Amino acid sequence: METPDSWTRLRDFTAARIALGRAGGSQPTGPLLDFRLAHARARDAVLAVFEPQELAGTLREMGCDPVVLDSCAPDRATYLQRPDFGRRLSNDARETLSALARQPGPDLVIMVSDGLSSLAAMEQSTPLLQALLPRLEADGWRLAPLFIVRHARVAIQDEVGGILSAGLSLILLGERPGLGSPDSLGAYFTHRPMPGKTDAARNCVSNIRAQGLPPEMAARKLHALLTASRRQGLSGVGLKDDVSFLPDSASPPPLAG
Amino acid sequence: MAYQLQLGKKTYAFSDLKTLLARATPLRSGDQLAGVAAHTAEERVAAQMRLAEVPLATFLEEQVIPYEEDEVTRLIQDRHDAPAFAPVSGLTVGEFREWLLDYETRAEHLKALAPGLTPEMVAAVSKIMSNQDLILVAGKVRVVTKFRNTIGLPGRLSVRLQPNHPTDDPKGIAASILDGLLYGCGDAVIGINPATDNPAACAELMRLMDRIISEYEIPTQSCVLTHVTTTMQCMERGEPVDLVFQSLAGTQAANTSFGIHLEMLREAREMALGLRRSTLGDNVMYFETGQGSCLSANAHHGCDQQTLEARAYAVAREFSPLLVNTVVGFIGPEYLYDGKQIIRAGLEDHFCGKLLGLPMGCDVCYTNHAEADQDDMDVLLTLLGVAGCNFIMGVPGADDIMLNYQSTSFHDSHFVRQSLGLKPAPEFEEWLWRMRIFSRENRLLPVGDGHALLAAGGTALAHGNA
C-alpha cells in the first residue's frame, strides 16, 4: 500500500521532510505520525505550566537565591495574545524591585523567564548559569540577585534593569518552538537598560540547546559579549562581536521522531 | 462623520468610518491588541448592521487614512475608475452583498467591476459576509496571469514549491526542489526564502534554479524572496531574475518600515520587464501580504487589520503581479489567535484580493504558539480549493525548516486536487505527463532511480556549489 520514494539518498543533503513516500498521493502513516509527534512536543513546550519554584529550587542548589516576579500577563492565554503585557512588570513586581534597589546599582542583573517555551527555561538555564556565573564572578562583576519572571517577553529586562540602575540587563527566555526544537533558549541583553529601548539597542544569542548552541558554549559567548559591551559602553547593532572562536550555531536541526 | 444605530433601548455610536469598520470586523486578537475591536459581541453585530446601511459611494468621500498623509490612499483615490463603479454606485454595503450573490452576477461582471472598487468597499462587504458567502463569490472570479505558464484558469490549482534551507545550502535546496517536482509541484513558482539578504548568496540561488528550469525545460518560473532592492542589484549584475518579490502592507508608514515605496516598485518592475525572460505574459511581480503587518510596524492609524490588508491589495494591483500570496497564519496568535480566526482571515483575504482583480494564493499556515494544527489547515485548504484559489504552498512535509512554521505539503496538493478534481497549470501538466511523473489521470507514477530528474538531480546537486 505504501509506495516508497526511490530518492531517499537526497535526505543526506537536508533536514527537510523529503522522500516521505506515499499512500495514493497522501502521506504514509509513519511520516504522518512523526510530524504529529513533533508538533505535540512543540505544543507541550508552549503550554507547559511553568513552575518558578521548581526552577528556583534547582538554582538554590547552585548557591543562587532567586526572587520570583510576574509580568502583567496573568495567564498563558493572555500572554500569547498580548505581547505588550509580557513586556511590562506587574505592580507587585515593581514594588518588590524598588525595595531591592541600591545606589550605586549592580553591574549586571540576570533574569530567567519561561517565554514561549517553559521546557527551554527548565532545561537550559541552569547549565548556562552554571557556566556563566563563575566567569563573571572571577572578573569581579557586581551582580544583582537572580530573578525569575513569569510570562515575560524580550524588553522586560529593560524595566527590571532600569529600576535597579543596573549597568547591563540580561534575560534568558524560551524561544518560539520549532518542530524540531521545542527546547530552545534565547538570551538578550541591554546596556544602560531603561523602558523605551528598541531591538536595535539589544544583543541576542539564540538557539541555545544541546543540538544547537550548547549551554556551555552560549555561556562563553555571552561572557565575551557582556565584557565587550561593558568595555565599549554600548549594546546593540554598534557592538563589535569579535567572538569568532565559536562554531556556527546555524546548523540544521535533526528531524524529530 | 459619526454613525449611530438604535438597538432596543441602546444606542451604539461609532465616531467615524474606520471605527465602524473596525467594530464590525469578526473577532480577532490583532484588533483587540490594537484596541479597535468591538467591546461586546452585540456591539460587533450592531456595527455590521450599521455598516450594511452605508452607501458604497461614501467610501469615495470618507477616507480611513487621510489623502495628504498616505500614498496608498492617494493611489486608491487617483486610480478609482468611476465608469467601472457605475453598476453598483447606488448600492449600500448590504445591497452590494446581495448583488454579489445574485445568480446573474457572473465572472465577466466582476472582472469589469474590479477597477471601480476600492479596498475599503471590499473589506466592508466582507465583514458582513459569512464564510460561505466569501467562498461562493470568490469562486465566481477568475484572475488569469502568465509568465512561462498560465495560472488561475478554471479547474486548476497551482503550487509554489518552497524548498527553504536554514543555511541556504544549494545542495539541500536542490534536494527539496527535486522532491517537489517529483510530487508534481512548482507550477506557480519555485520560490526560495533565503536565510540572508546578501546579493551574492541570492544570486547563487537564482542561478541554481535557472539551471534546473532550463536543463529540464520546466514551464515555470523562479523567485528568490529577498528585498526588492537586493533583487534590483542582482538584475543590474545580469543575474537570472524571473520574478521580483516584495512584501507589501496597506499604509505608507508600514511600507516605509519595509524599506519600500511605490516608485521603487515601479522601477523594479520596469527592470524585470526589460530582461524579457517570460514567454507567455508580462506578469513579473510576486507579492506577499498578511493581516497584522501594519500593527506590528506600529503604522495602523487606528484601522482594523483586515481593512489594511485589503489596502495592500490596492498596492499590489498597480503592478500586475503573477502571484499574490497572503501568508495568513505566519504572524502569530497575537494577530490571529486560533484555527477559527486563521480560517476566516484566509477566506477574507482570498475574497478581497480576487474582487480587486488579483491572482490570489494563500500560504495556509500556522506557528507553534497558535491554537491551531494541521487539521485546521486541511479545512482552510479545502475551503480555498472550493473558492477557486489560484495557488497554495508546497513545503516538504509541511515543515519549513528555515522559517520554523507549518504550511501545506506536496502531499496536501494531491489531496486537494484529488478531492476537488483540480489540475496543475496546463503547460506544467503537459510537462508532468511528458516526464512520466503524472499519469494522464494526474496520478503519481512510480519513479525509479533512473528517472531523468534524478540523473539530472545528480547534475543539479553536483553543480550545487558552482
Side-chain angles (χ1 to χ4, degrees):
Chain A
M1 283 168 298
E2 184 192 339
T3 308
D5 292 330
S6 62
W7 55 94
T8 50
R9 65 189 161 87
L10 296 188
R11 282 197 205 137
D12 294 347
F13 299 107
T14 179
R17 293 170 195 260
I18 61 169
L20 297 181
R22 58 190 177 84
S26 302
Q27 283 195 27
T29 304
L32 180 79
L33 294 178
D34 283 349
F35 180 99
R36 211 171 279 165
L37 177 63
H39 185 242
R41 285 176 174 160
R43 290 298 292 160
D44 284 346
V46 169
L47 296 176
V49 177
F50 182 54
E51 300 292 354
Q53 293 307 339
E54 196 181 319
L55 180 60
T58 317
L59 293 170
R60 260 181 223 113
E61 286 166 23
M62 290 170 40
C64 300
D65 190 14
V67 179
V68 177
L69 305 172
D70 281 315
S71 76
C72 281
D75 55 55
R76 206 74 190 145
T78 312
Y79 170 75
L80 289 172
Q81 290 181 73
R82 295 298 302 261
D84 51 331
F85 287 3
R87 294 186 197 114
R88 292 200 306 270
L89 290 167
S90 71
N91 287 334
D92 286 354
R94 220 170 288 135
E95 280 174 26
T96 306
L97 280 173
S98 300
L100 291 169
R102 302 278 180 275
Q103 289 299 335
D107 295 325
L108 172 68
V109 56
I110 302 177
M111 65 215 74
V112 181
S113 175
D114 46 350
L116 286 169
S117 169
S118 308
L119 185 63
M122 298 301 290
E123 300 279 316
Q124 321 302 351
S125 59
T126 309
L128 191 152
L129 289 168
Q130 249 162 358
L132 178 63
L133 294 178
R135 286 190 163 83
L136 295 171
E137 280 156 10
D139 290 352
W141 287 67
R142 290 175 306 112
L143 301 180
L146 188 67
F147 295 97
I148 299 175
V149 192
R150 192 163 22 199
H151 301 325
R153 299 259 180 184
V154 174
I156 206 167
Q157 79 270 28
D158 297 351
E159 188 178 8
V160 173
I163 294 172
L164 297 179
S165 307
L168 280 153
S169 183
L170 167 69
I171 188 167
L172 311 173
L173 82 176
E175 295 180 329
R176 189 177 98 185
L179 271 199
S181 53
D183 57 349
S184 182
L185 190 80
Y188 296 79
F189 69 85
T190 321
H191 185 263
R192 294 250 169 268
M194 64 182 78
K197 292 236 172 179
T198 66
D199 286 344
R202 298 187 195 108
N203 292 89
C204 164
V205 174
S206 63
N207 196 25
I208 302 170
R209 61 194 178 98
Q211 296 81 15
L213 182 67
E216 158 72 16
M217 289 285 213
R220 285 167 58 192
K221 185 161 184 167
L222 275 171
H223 173 242
L225 283 170
L226 290 165
T227 304
S229 175
R230 185 158 74 150
R231 194 186 314 120
Q232 295 172 35
L234 55 88
S235 59
V237 289
L239 183 66
K240 307 281 179 293
D241 178 0
D242 48 7
V243 194
S244 54
F245 60 89
L246 288 163
D248 186 7
S249 63
S251 56
L255 281 181
Chain B
M1 150 174 181
Y3 298 83
Q4 287 196 349
L5 186 88
Q6 193 77 31
L7 266 187
K9 288 181 184 164
K10 202 156 186 182
T11 305
Y12 283 99
F14 309 97
S15 56
D16 50 23
L17 190 57
K18 77 176 174 190
T19 306
L20 181 64
L21 285 165
R23 301 290 193 271
T25 307
L27 176 67
R28 64 206 57 193
S29 49
D31 290 340
Q32 294 177 310
L33 179 62
V36 301
H39 302 93
T40 62
E42 184 175 282
E43 188 194 16
R44 180 167 299 110
V45 181
Q48 291 173 355
M49 289 175 159
R50 184 63 190 85
L51 183 59
E53 296 170 358
V54 174
L56 288 181
T58 301
F59 292 88
L60 298 174
E61 282 142 30
E62 189 178 346
Q63 306 307 323
V64 299
I65 301 171
Y67 185 92
E68 300 71 30
E69 284 178 28
D70 187 282
E71 71 170 0
V72 178
T73 303
R74 291 197 287 278
L75 180 74
I76 293 165
Q77 289 298 300
D78 297 351
R79 285 283 190 264
H80 183 253
D81 183 338
F85 181 55
V88 298
S89 61
L91 304 183
T92 63
V93 171
E95 291 164 346
F96 183 42
R97 171 182 170 271
E98 293 165 358
W99 184 89
L100 291 168
L101 292 166
D102 197 287
Y103 288 132
E104 298 310 318
T105 303
R106 294 185 299 269
E108 61 269 28
H109 305 123
L110 294 171
K111 187 177 180 184
L113 177 64
L117 294 176
T118 68
E120 290 85 356
M121 292 175 195
V122 172
V125 74
S126 79
K127 291 176 195 299
I128 64 166
M129 290 170 90
S130 61
N131 283 6
Q132 62 168 269
D133 296 345
L134 297 172
I135 294 168
L136 181 69
V137 177
K140 297 185 182 193
V141 185
R142 287 291 149 196
V143 181
V144 177
T145 56
K146 297 174 185 182
F147 190 89
R148 289 194 195 105
N149 57 18
T150 311
I151 299 167
L153 292 168
R156 310 265 171 185
L157 173 74
S158 295
V159 182
R160 167 189 164 193
L161 203 173
Q162 182 170 316
N164 296 341
H165 187 277
T167 59
D168 291 340
D169 178 65
K171 291 186 179 187
I173 285 172
S176 289
I177 291 176
L178 293 172
D179 192 62
L181 291 171
L182 289 167
Y183 272 90
C185 295
D187 51 341
V189 63
I190 303 175
I192 304 169
N193 298 90
T196 157
D197 249 351
N198 172 315
C202 290
E204 186 174 356
L205 300 177
M206 289 167 185
R207 291 197 292 264
L208 169 73
M209 290 188 286
D210 186 48
R211 269 200 309 276
I212 295 176
I213 289 173
S214 329
E215 185 161 353
Y216 303 104
E217 298 177 327
I218 311 172
T220 191
Q221 38 282 331
S222 71
C223 186
V224 174
L225 284 73
T226 184
H227 194 267
V228 59
T229 52
T230 308
T231 306
M232 288 165 84
Q233 285 181 42
C234 290
M235 287 192 282
E236 276 165 14
R237 294 177 194 179
E239 300 297 346
V241 172
D242 286 347
L243 303 183
V244 176
F245 170 80
Q246 184 54 46
S247 295
L248 301 179
T251 70
Q252 180 179 341
N255 284 327
T256 302
S257 82
F258 288 172
I260 59 160
H261 49 79
L262 299 176
E263 201 44 50
M264 181 187 284
L265 296 172
R266 272 190 202 106
E267 196 187 329
R269 177 165 182 268
E270 288 306 315
M271 285 178 76
L273 286 171
L275 300 179
R276 301 188 179 283
R277 291 177 57 82
S278 64
T279 52
L280 297 182
D282 60 359
N283 304 113
V284 296
M285 306 298 282
Y286 175 11
F287 295 127
E288 286 190 350
T289 65
Q291 293 188 24
S293 55
C294 291
L295 176 58
S296 77
N298 209 10
H300 63 99
H301 297 266
C303 296
D304 69 88
Q305 65 187 34
Q306 191 254 335
T307 299
L308 294 174
E309 171 72 5
R311 284 170 55 97
Y313 304 153
V315 178
R317 73 173 167 179
E318 178 71 4
F319 304 101
S320 310
L322 184 78
L323 307 161
V324 178
N325 176 22
T326 172
V327 190
V328 67
F330 184 74
I331 193 160
E334 58 267 44
Y335 299 92
L336 294 169
Y337 182 64
D338 55 14
K340 183 179 171 69
Q341 293 185 9
I342 292 171
I343 289 165
R344 172 78 197 179
L347 294 177
E348 289 167 347
D349 293 353
H350 176 253
F351 164 85
C352 289
K354 279 283 174 72
L355 221 54
L356 290 168
L358 288 171
M360 290 306 293
C362 183
D363 190 344
V364 174
C365 65
Y366 63 105
T367 57
N368 284 323
H369 58 322
E371 280 291 326
D373 62 22
Q374 219 62 28
D375 285 338
D376 295 304
M377 300 305 107
D378 288 352
V379 173
L380 179 54
L381 174 62
T382 308
L383 299 180
L384 286 169
V386 175
C389 186
N390 281 31
F391 68 101
I392 57 169
M393 304 306 112
V395 179
D399 172 11
D400 189 308
I401 58 171
M402 200 284 278
L403 294 171
N404 272 325
Y405 77 119
Q406 286 85 251
S407 179
T408 45
S409 65
F410 303 140
H411 296 78
D412 288 334
S413 71
H414 285 274
F415 148 70
V416 73
R417 283 173 174 169
Q418 213 180 161
S419 294
L420 300 176
L422 300 171
K423 302 169 180 177
E427 301 83 357
F428 194 82
E429 185 181 40
E430 288 273 350
W431 180 81
L432 291 170
W433 293 341
R434 196 165 68 238
M435 295 298 288
R436 300 206 42 79
I437 293 170
F438 274 13
S439 70
R440 290 277 161 173
E441 295 76 39
N442 287 349
R443 292 182 170 180
L444 286 165
L445 290 169
V447 168
D449 207 18
H451 187 276
L453 265 189
L454 290 171
T459 319
L461 289 168
H463 294 165
N465 288 327

